[in-house]
Amino acid sequence: MAALSPVLALTYLSYFHSAVLSFPLDQQSHDTSSCGYKSCHATVPNMLNVHLVPHTHDDVGWLKTVDQYFYGGRNDIQHAGVQYILDSVVGQLLQNPERRFIYVETAFFYRWWKKQPPSMQKAVRQLVDQGRLEFVNGGWCMSDEATTHYSAVIDQMTLGLRFLNDTFGPCGRPRVAWHIDPFGHAREHASMFAQMGYDGFFFGRLDYQDRNNRIRTLEQELLWRASESLEPPYADLFTGILPNGYNPPKGFCWDQSCDDAPIMDDPDLEDYNVDDVVQRFEAAANSQAMAYKTKHIIMTMGSDFQYENANLWYKNLDKLIRYVNARQANGSQINVLYSTPSCYLQELHRANLTWTLKTDDFFPYADDAHNFWTGYFTSRPALKRYERVSNGRLQTCNQLEVLGGPSSRKGPFGAGDSETLREAMAVAQHHDAVSGTEKQHVANDYARRLANGWQHCQVVVSNSLAALSGSSAGRIYCDNLNVSACPLTEASKKFSVNVYNSLARPVVWPVRLPVNASAYTVLDATGTPVDCQVVPMSKATQQVRKDRGYAVNELVFQAQAPPLGYSTYSVSVLQNGPPSASAKSGPPAAIQNKFVRATFDPATGLLDSLTNLETQQTIKLTQNFYWYNASDGKSSISDQASGAYIFRPNSSSPFIISCTAETESIQTPELQEVRQQFGPWVSQVIRLHSNSRALEMEWTVGPVPIADGLGKEVITRLDSSIASSGVFYTDSNGREVLRRKKDFRPTWDLRQTEPVAGNYYPINSRAYIKDDKDQLTVVTDRSQGGSSIHDGSLEIMLHRRLLHDDWRGVGEPLNEMSGVFPLGLVVRGRLLLSLTPPALAADAHRPLAQENVLQPLLSFTEGGPPPGSLLEFSGLQAALPPAVHLLTLSQWGQDSLLIRLEHQFQTKESMEHSVPFTVNLQKLFSSLKVVGVSELNLSANQWIDEMKRLDWRPKMAAKPLRKPLGDPSMWEVILTPMQIRTFILRVAPRR
């Protein structure tokens, strides 16, 4: 289709804007005259205004599963039933228009809403329209901030906020982000919240030393500048720290789970206590006010799964407000009111003050001198990896649902959907899910949901590939390739491999398949032979695989896949072919290709040095495995044990597992490996493919032995010649990188009490150390904890097996076992090492990390490709620039798509890529033409030109704002470093 004339284009876009608005965004039929900030109760000038915020905190799984929490099952574990909370709260709100309530977890509210009759839904809509029931945060869950990847967080927020928009219109849109329970707070989360249009952010947990300092300096409310790349105030977010975590003040909990005395206001009662309650409340309010800057304070009146009998709370809160305010006639300067976080925020904004500026994050979090919540950065490493894999599968499912058209949802392989996996992934972002801080049966439930979602998505993927390729041959997915198990490749003499690439640029990916023959022929989509190699399967893989496969060899070849597309490879047994490569005992002097060289110590079998052959730089580099002895909480001065949340080693020096490694090596033109065995429960393969610029380390750890009665926290440590001077760097939720310094916090003078745990930080996708000449970057395949305890070193925690609970609520030790691993969990993962000059490092680690997050999806068919089928396809007209990432591509409406384009480089980190790039939306897709476009905020629940946030003034003088770059045309969009732009596109098939 030719480009529209400017006048016609504007007319069309205006129509498109309103047409799309009618179904996914703010519903215009809702009355917004009395919700949001307009619904707030009046405050009294020159008095201390106490904002009472009735709320419940409903974990989307923790001690019980999501289903058990919603229905109130397994109350022998914990008394909690979310459906009864919502039933009770709504009934109480309807009785008194003065009352307020906030709700957070859309996953629960969505389930409850679907079960309500139309009359109840109408009543609830009225409560929302009048601001009496207010949604805050609004995501599917309250996500963890340390162990989540930004793409999954954006998805789960979009899922929850879209439901609220579709159901309640503008009055359902939250104004405030609310993370009262996560165990530390990431800068990238704050940046995302700002880009989603939130006016403010409140949380409950921060380091005890940080809190004490902020109380003293009246800085518990601040302005968080959450990006070094985005122009202020694009990622600025007003942030408030709640006074009591998220609980009511001591003595004022009136839930059925509490034992505080109710307000007994009959003067004839012996236990009449109104005067006592009022005096204690005034004392609590005045005390709290001394730690904040304005004449307004907030009190969170609720806690975990409270308000199941809301009458108890509201009857006493009504009395509290009445009796405290009655004392104003006698000179009291305290005014109490029902409120919400947004109403409280509005009063802070009206105060027109300046606020301290913060530019780092709130990690690590400690609640006392020896209680650092840094263990959960690694807890349940298998679940963390499965969640990351599932995220990649969801993106593939979303994309192929678009590219395959309507037949992707209902086609030759049946009816499928992406919603099941989307909801499972959204639940998995909860701060007691991917964090690894739930009970074992709950972790099993999260994994089951992800697996079930993938089953639904497999149908979508198969249908879509059938539509695109023209072949409806049966398709098989081998989900155990990480342990080299795939029944089809092990038994078949001829099969096809479809390699789907979800990135918007071509990739070269090492395919590794379990086989039993010694020689194979591999042909690409054009029929051209591809270099391949058969190697013997490692002993470690055979042990981990157990009875899930029987292959003795592995077939390895490099697959190339086009951007947003697939390529098909034909594999067949080669009769009378050359024998497979054999493993030689002992380490080689070195393994190398044209880019990288790694040398090994012949005496120990360990890595000795790493060289970048392109830049001619070499560092000394050794690597080994160690374990920290986890404190049992019985012999230490603090009686604090390591557990699911807390990392508390007994000593600052870890135990080495072995000073040497038994090794064998394989060296072929296509692949070089050094296989290291450090003991019966730790092994590793150091691997270098012919075209790789990164050194791969595939580690296998477990079952961690506990017969000695000691819990163990297993790490790998890289020790180098880099002069890092106590400084290292970690990413925030997979995006921007933050500088870390040992025994240091940027905003207060740290008194370090835990020299190891107190220096651990979350690593979502990469960490690095550097000096003036060299940078060593480690890219991870899941979220893990790590640090640099010694200059020139990086350590990453891989696995934890603990024998004691840490008394933070989960109530069981982190000791994972299963039917597959009855002796203890075995975990496998990989690290990618990149050595570069610092100025070139981002050019290497940015695309490398993205490839690791969104790995190609392999699917298999028996025999060769059917004649006439399309063996290669790309959904793009051309690859996007290396700096630009297609973050989201999913179906939004019948003929509309949701897309997000992301600039994945920070400002100043790359000479080549840290510059603006332009993308033409009409020239994006090969099989779809874009006929309409409208831009939204990051969470896709507001038009970007209607997103107006409250302005906040930092204490420091503001720099003059640069004028944003204007797009060249309505179809051409500019992306600046770290910018994400979100669009709804109206599309039609290309003929």
Side-chain angles (χ1 to χ4, degrees):
M1 175 181 173
L4 300 174
S5 71
V7 174
L8 288 175
L10 286 172
T11 303
Y12 183 87
L13 286 179
S14 177
Y15 160 76
F16 171 64
H17 195 86
S18 60
V20 174
L21 187 68
S22 66
F23 64 87
L25 294 182
D26 296 348
Q27 298 181 8
Q28 302 303 298
S29 60
H30 287 258
D31 178 16
T32 62
S33 61
S34 59
C35 66
Y37 297 124
K38 297 176 182 177
S39 69
C40 300
H41 290 311
T43 58
V44 180
N46 302 318
M47 283 193 180
L48 176 60
N49 290 274
V50 183
H51 295 249
L52 302 183
V53 178
H55 80 105
T56 180
H57 174 58
D58 298 342
D59 289 303
V60 187
W62 179 38
L63 307 183
K64 306 198 296 188
T65 68
V66 183
D67 295 340
Q68 290 165 354
Y69 271 134
F70 180 77
Y71 284 101
R74 291 301 307 273
N75 280 343
D76 57 313
I77 297 175
Q78 180 186 14
H79 186 95
V82 175
Q83 63 173 332
Y84 309 122
I85 294 171
L86 291 168
D87 288 342
S88 184
V89 165
V90 169
Q92 290 298 310
L93 291 177
L94 291 171
Q95 290 184 26
N96 182 347
E98 296 298 306
R99 293 171 176 174
R100 297 291 184 268
F101 194 80
I102 63 169
Y103 201 72
V104 179
E105 294 84 6
T106 306
F108 283 135
F109 189 86
Y110 170 77
R111 295 178 75 163
W112 179 83
W113 177 261
K114 289 194 303 180
K115 296 178 179 295
Q116 303 310 306
S119 59
M120 178 57 74
Q121 291 184 349
K122 181 179 179 181
V124 173
R125 279 197 174 97
Q126 184 178 18
L127 291 175
V128 174
D129 286 346
Q130 295 174 356
R132 294 153 65 187
L133 173 61
E134 180 176 305
F135 296 101
V136 296
N137 214 63
W140 207 245
C141 70
M142 186 184 295
S143 59
D144 183 56
E145 299 193 42
T147 63
T148 47
H149 191 265
Y150 72 97
S151 62
V153 173
I154 293 171
D155 283 348
Q156 76 88 10
M157 292 298 296
T158 301
L159 181 64
L161 292 171
R162 184 178 187 183
F163 165 75
L164 295 178
N165 251 348
D166 287 350
T167 308
F168 300 106
C171 290
R173 180 174 62 84
R175 273 71 172 174
V176 166
W178 183 259
H179 269 212
I180 54 178
D181 197 26
F183 329 120
H185 303 281
R187 192 176 75 178
E188 192 61 37
H189 259 73
S191 176
M192 289 187 286
F193 286 147
Q195 295 174 64
M196 290 174 183
Y198 290 99
D199 287 323
F201 176 39
F202 292 95
F203 65 75
R205 298 184 188 269
L206 82 161
D207 187 273
Y208 75 103
Q209 291 186 48
D210 193 3
R211 180 184 287 277
N212 290 339
N213 180 65
R214 291 182 180 279
I215 289 173
R216 185 174 64 255
T217 58
L218 300 184
E219 292 180 349
Q220 290 195 90
E221 291 163 335
L222 57 118
L223 185 61
W224 198 349
R225 181 149 293 165
S227 174
E228 296 176 1
S229 300
L230 300 173
E231 187 73 15
Y234 197 75
D236 288 1
L237 188 65
F238 182 88
T239 301
I241 300 161
L242 298 171
N244 300 300
Y246 54 90
N247 300 305
K250 186 177 180 180
F252 299 95
C253 181
W254 290 304
D255 193 73
Q256 64 184 14
S257 63
C258 301
D259 56 10
D260 292 340
I263 298 177
M264 294 178 278
D265 54 350
D266 182 346
D268 294 332
L269 289 177
E270 182 179 349
D271 293 326
Y272 175 82
N273 64 354
V274 170
D275 294 339
D276 175 66
V277 169
V278 169
Q279 289 172 6
R280 287 189 294 107
F281 182 83
E282 288 180 337
N286 286 321
S287 175
Q288 181 179 323
M290 294 176 65
Y292 291 87
K293 291 174 65 172
T294 74
K295 299 293 284 184
H296 295 265
I297 61 172
I298 186 172
M299 289 185 178
T300 46
M301 308 307 283
S303 192
D304 291 354
F305 298 98
Q306 293 196 359
Y307 284 80
E308 194 170 308
N309 183 353
N311 180 53
L312 298 176
W313 263 113
Y314 281 113
K315 179 167 283 192
N316 284 281
L317 288 175
D318 288 347
K319 292 180 180 180
L320 181 70
I321 293 170
R322 182 165 73 251
Y323 289 124
V324 172
N325 289 347
R327 290 170 63 94
Q328 295 171 12
N330 297 324
S332 170
Q333 293 297 300
I334 294 178
N335 180 61
V336 189
L337 64 151
Y338 279 118
S339 190
T340 66
S342 59
C343 292
Y344 173 65
L345 184 71
Q346 178 176 234
E347 295 299 335
L348 298 183
H349 184 256
R350 286 173 172 170
N352 197 27
L353 303 177
T354 59
W355 306 91
T356 301
L357 197 67
K358 181 179 177 66
T359 58
D360 59 313
D361 63 3
F362 289 94
F363 287 117
Y365 161 57
D367 60 29
D368 210 339
H370 302 285
N371 310 346
F372 279 87
W373 296 47
T374 53
Y376 80 98
F377 300 162
T378 295
S379 293
R380 302 196 186 279
L383 180 63
K384 282 179 165 64
R385 175 60 184 156
Y386 193 41
E387 180 274 336
R388 185 66 56 88
V389 169
S390 298
N391 183 34
R393 289 171 171 173
L394 176 60
Q395 305 314 315
T396 294
C397 186
N398 288 337
Q399 292 176 5
L400 284 171
E401 184 179 9
V402 170
L403 299 175
S407 62
S408 62
R409 296 181 69 89
K410 192 171 185 179
F413 297 96
D417 68 83
S418 56
E419 286 82 5
T420 305
L421 182 55
R422 188 176 298 122
E423 291 181 14
M425 270 297 297
V427 166
Q429 305 316 302
H430 170 58
H431 58 270
D432 283 307
V434 66
S435 60
T437 55
E438 63 282 280
K439 282 186 178 290
Q440 183 64 56
H441 78 103
V442 181
N444 296 342
D445 184 67
Y446 289 132
R448 180 192 61 78
R449 290 172 181 274
L450 293 172
N452 181 53
W454 173 228
Q455 292 298 315
H456 285 251
C457 262
Q458 281 183 14
V459 179
V460 173
V461 173
S462 295
N463 285 336
S464 180
L465 292 176
L468 294 171
S469 68
S471 168
S472 57
R475 198 167 294 276
I476 294 172
Y477 302 87
C478 293
D479 295 335
N480 290 320
L481 282 176
N482 64 318
V483 291
S484 290
C486 179
L488 186 144
T489 64
E490 293 173 48
S492 179
K493 292 185 177 180
K494 188 171 186 178
F495 56 90
S496 301
V497 186
N498 181 287
V499 182
Y500 179 81
N501 169 30
S502 60
L503 295 174
R505 56 182 172 81
V507 297
V508 178
W509 187 259
V511 175
R512 195 177 188 93
L513 305 175
V515 295
N516 280 300
S518 59
Y520 286 80
T521 298
V522 180
L523 304 177
D524 68 12
T526 67
T528 304
V530 175
D531 292 332
C532 62
Q533 186 69 56
V534 176
V535 298
M537 190 171 295
S538 69
K539 297 175 183 177
T541 295
Q542 294 179 38
Q543 293 171 355
V544 173
R545 182 186 58 187
K546 296 189 175 182
D547 58 357
R548 287 177 284 179
Y550 61 93
V552 296
N553 294 324
E554 291 177 303
L555 170 66
V556 182
F557 64 93
Q558 300 286 308
Q560 299 184 38
L564 205 71
Y566 68 80
S567 191
T568 307
Y569 290 81
S570 302
V571 180
S572 55
V573 173
L574 180 61
Q575 300 294 337
N576 302 316
S580 61
S582 59
K584 298 180 180 179
S585 180
I591 58 174
Q592 75 173 69
N593 59 19
K594 58 184 176 181
F595 305 116
V596 178
R597 173 182 172 89
T599 65
F600 294 82
D601 185 332
T604 63
L606 303 180
L607 187 65
D608 188 57
S609 73
L610 184 63
T611 299
N612 183 327
L613 297 173
E614 291 183 287
T615 57
Q616 293 297 304
Q617 60 187 132
T618 299
I619 59 170
K620 292 288 294 179
L621 181 65
T622 61
Q623 180 249 356
N624 210 324
F625 295 87
Y626 307 80
W627 59 275
Y628 288 104
N629 180 12
S631 171
D632 59 10
K634 298 177 181 178
S635 57
S636 63
I637 57 173
S638 72
D639 293 329
Q640 177 59 60
S642 270
Y645 301 91
I646 289 177
F647 173 34
R648 177 86 202 288
N650 263 346
S651 168
S652 299
S653 299
F655 296 91
I656 194 168
I657 290 173
S658 176
C659 295
T660 61
E662 295 181 9
T663 60
E664 60 180 24
S665 63
I666 294 174
Q667 291 187 287
T668 73
E670 298 305 313
L671 173 70
Q672 299 175 69
E673 290 185 349
V674 178
R675 298 173 173 182
Q676 301 170 311
Q677 190 75 38
F678 292 86
W681 56 281
V682 177
S683 63
Q684 179 173 256
V685 179
I686 298 180
R687 187 176 289 135
L688 191 60
H689 293 277
S690 59
N691 65 341
S692 176
R693 286 180 165 85
L695 186 69
E696 178 183 337
M697 293 179 162
E698 184 183 72
W699 50 269
T700 305
V701 176
V704 178
I706 54 172
D708 55 6
L710 302 177
K712 297 176 177 64
E713 327 233 21
V714 183
I715 66 165
T716 186
R717 194 175 77 202
L718 298 152
D719 295 304
S720 76
S721 55
I722 292 175
S724 58
S725 303
V727 175
F728 60 108
Y729 300 80
T730 65
D731 67 318
S732 180
N733 298 124
R735 291 206 84 216
E736 295 198 40
V737 174
L738 280 78
R739 181 180 185 270
R740 313 296 191 183
K741 186 175 182 181
K742 182 185 175 186
D743 298 333
F744 175 78
R745 302 291 186 268
T747 55
W748 85 91
D749 294 329
L750 174 69
R751 182 175 65 88
Q752 185 60 275
T753 52
E754 285 289 328
V756 176
N759 282 303
Y760 258 60
Y761 290 86
I763 301 170
N764 297 110
S765 63
R766 81 210 73 182
Y768 58 81
I769 53 174
K770 65 178 182 177
D771 56 23
D772 292 340
K773 187 177 72 169
D774 303 309
Q775 178 169 322
L776 178 66
T777 305
V778 180
V779 173
T780 66
D781 66 350
R782 74 202 71 193
S783 290
Q784 296 167 310
S787 186
S788 178
I789 304 300
H790 308 285
D791 284 355
S793 85
L794 264 179
E795 66 179 61
I796 297 174
M797 187 177 290
L798 306 177
H799 199 353
R800 315 180 73 215
R801 191 175 188 187
L802 309 173
L803 304 181
H804 301 275
D805 181 41
D806 56 13
W807 298 100
R808 291 306 182 277
V810 75
E812 64 183 35
L814 186 64
N815 183 12
E816 296 183 271
M817 293 176 285
S818 69
V820 178
F821 298 116
L823 299 180
L825 182 67
V826 180
V827 184
R828 170 169 285 179
R830 69 176 194 153
L831 307 173
L832 300 175
L833 272 58
S834 172
L835 175 65
T836 57
L840 301 178
D843 296 340
H845 70 69
R846 287 286 175 188
L848 192 64
Q850 206 64 269
E851 282 182 22
N852 220 25
V853 170
L854 297 173
Q855 297 180 6
L857 175 68
L858 306 185
S859 59
F860 303 87
T861 55
E862 181 74 51
S869 58
L870 185 64
L871 300 185
E872 192 165 78
F873 167 84
S874 174
L876 299 182
Q877 295 187 36
L880 292 179
V884 179
H885 173 49
L886 182 60
L887 177 61
T888 302
L889 173 61
S890 64
Q891 201 73 37
W892 192 254
Q894 185 175 355
D895 59 352
S896 61
L897 312 177
L898 178 70
I899 75 162
R900 292 186 179 93
L901 293 168
E902 170 192 7
H903 195 308
Q904 60 178 349
F905 281 77
Q906 289 180 226
T907 185
K908 299 179 181 179
E909 74 176 357
S910 169
M911 292 289 291
E912 181 180 359
H913 299 306
S914 294
V915 294
F917 284 88
T918 302
V919 177
N920 189 317
L921 298 175
Q922 284 194 312
K923 296 180 180 179
L924 198 57
F925 300 111
S926 63
S927 58
L928 299 168
K929 57 183 177 181
V930 178
V931 296
V933 57
S934 199
E935 187 169 2
L936 302 90
N937 65 345
L938 181 61
S939 49
N941 67 327
Q942 280 184 283
W943 300 119
I944 195 68
D945 53 5
E946 295 177 1
M947 190 181 86
K948 302 291 188 280
R949 298 201 300 137
L950 299 180
D951 293 323
W952 302 89
R953 294 191 298 139
K955 276 187 176 179
M956 61 182 292
K959 297 179 181 178
L961 297 182
R962 293 196 298 264
K963 185 178 180 180
L965 295 174
D967 293 332
S969 74
M970 66 190 67
W971 308 112
E972 297 172 291
V973 298
I974 293 178
L975 294 163
T976 59
M978 279 291 123
Q979 187 178 22
I980 301 174
R981 296 184 67 177
T982 305
F983 303 91
I984 287 181
L985 307 181
R986 188 164 311 265
V987 296
R990 285 188 185 275
R991 294 178 181 177

